[in-house]
Amino acid sequence: MSKYFEVLVELKIESENSKGYSKIKKVKETYLVDAMSVTEAEARVVESFTKSGFSQHYSVLQAKGSKIIDVITPEDNK
């Protein structure tokens, strides 16, 4: 049986405003991760960011168990 965790990540993204000035913008994103423990969920997110070559700064803020019990995908209906 799958167990899901919500992992909150803060990304620091550099953007330019209309005057051409550079600004660091903080964005928070939540990822749903299939894992056996909080530690594994956090490690999977870090591994995913590393493999994707994400070059901006990020940090994992929180990892917690999710109330989601299952994910139904189009492949499940075939």
Side-chain angles (χ1 to χ4, degrees):
M1 182 174 186
S2 295
K3 195 169 185 184
Y4 298 98
F5 295 87
E6 295 176 30
V7 180
L8 181 64
V9 178
E10 182 179 77
L11 308 166
K12 293 182 181 174
I13 301 172
E14 188 173 347
S15 63
E16 285 188 12
N17 63 13
S18 60
K19 296 180 181 179
Y21 294 109
S22 182
K23 180 180 179 182
I24 302 294
K25 183 177 180 181
K26 292 181 181 180
V27 178
K28 291 182 182 176
E29 297 180 345
T30 303
Y31 293 87
L32 183 65
V33 182
D34 182 2
M36 296 302 292
S37 67
V38 172
T39 304
E40 181 184 353
E42 183 177 340
R44 285 189 178 196
V45 169
V46 170
E47 180 182 2
S48 175
F49 273 73
T50 302
K51 282 185 178 179
S52 70
F54 188 75
S55 62
Q56 303 294 330
H57 181 73
Y58 69 92
S59 58
V60 175
L61 299 178
Q62 181 183 36
K64 64 180 182 178
S66 174
K67 292 183 180 181
I68 294 174
I69 58 171
D70 197 10
V71 176
I72 299 172
T73 63
E75 291 80 26
D76 293 341
N77 295 330
K78 290 182 181 179

